[in-house]
C-alpha cells in the first residue's frame, strides 16, 4: 500500500489541524482507512511540525466530515487544481461571501461555494 499524500502547509497558522490518529478516532475508523480517504482525495492532509493532520475546519460540530468538503475537493481536483491551490482558495478571504469559503461551507452559502469552485475559483 502506498503512502498517503500530504500537502505543503499553506493554510493559516491559526487553522488547527487534527493528527490522523485523532481523525480516525473521531470518525470511528482505523487510521489506515483515513490514509485511504487521503489517497482517494476525499480529504487533504497537511504536514505541520513533522506531523500530518487534517484541518479542523473540514469537520462539522458533530465531528463528522462536513457535508460539502469532499464535494468541493472533488470539483476543484477535477478542474486540475493542486491540493495546495485548493487549500489556499478555501482559506482566502472573500468579501463577497463574506468571509472564507471554508467558513461558508458550514452554513447556508455552502452551495454557493461549490458553484464558484466549479465556475472558476481563481
Amino acid at each position: 500500500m502506498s503512502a498517503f499524500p500530504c500537502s505543503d502547509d499553506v493554510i493559516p497558522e491559526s487553522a488547527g489541524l487534527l493528527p490522523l490518529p485523532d481523525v480516525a478516532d473521531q470518525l470511528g475508523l482505523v487510521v489506515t482507512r483515513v490514509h485511504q480517504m487521503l489517497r482517494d482525495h476525499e480529504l487533504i492532509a497537511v504536514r505541520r511540525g513533522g506531523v500530518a493532520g487534517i484541518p479542523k475546519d473540514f469537520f462539522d460540530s458533530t465531528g463528522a466530515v462536513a457535508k460539502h468538503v469532499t464535494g468541493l475537493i472533488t470539483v476543484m481536483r477535477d478542474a486540475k487544481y493542486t491540493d495546495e491551490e485548493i487549500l489556499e482558495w478555501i482559506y482566502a478571504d472573500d468579501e463577497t461571501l463574506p468571509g472564507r469559503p471554508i467558513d461558508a461551507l458550514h452554513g447556508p452559502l455552502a452551495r454557493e461555494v461549490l458553484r464558484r469552485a466549479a465556475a472558476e475559483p481563481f
Side-chain angles (χ1 to χ4, degrees):
M1 196 171 281
S2 64
F4 58 88
C6 204
S7 171
D8 292 336
D9 188 1
V10 295
I11 63 175
E13 190 66 34
S14 61
L17 296 177
L18 286 175
L20 301 186
D22 293 355
V23 171
D25 287 344
Q26 181 171 306
L27 297 177
L29 303 171
V30 294
V31 75
T32 54
R33 175 63 185 111
V34 174
H35 295 173
Q36 187 62 46
M37 291 172 77
L38 294 168
R39 283 191 292 275
D40 292 343
H41 306 292
E42 295 174 27
L43 295 170
I44 299 173
V46 172
R47 191 170 303 279
R48 183 180 286 167
V51 176
I54 297 174
K56 290 180 180 180
D57 296 322
F58 282 18
F59 302 94
D60 64 20
S61 61
T62 69
V65 176
K67 182 177 180 181
H68 299 287
V69 167
T70 299
L72 177 63
I73 292 169
T74 299
V75 164
M76 294 187 76
R77 286 191 60 81
D78 287 351
K80 306 297 184 211
Y81 289 95
T82 66
D83 288 347
E84 288 83 5
E85 290 170 329
I86 294 168
L87 291 170
E88 287 172 349
W89 185 76
I90 65 175
Y91 278 97
D93 284 323
D94 184 337
E95 295 175 11
T96 64
L97 278 174
R100 306 174 306 173
I102 191 64
D103 299 324
L105 281 180
H106 295 278
L109 294 174
R111 294 207 184 276
E112 175 62 14
V113 171
L114 290 171
R115 187 196 66 74
R116 290 179 186 198
E120 186 176 342
F122 290 106

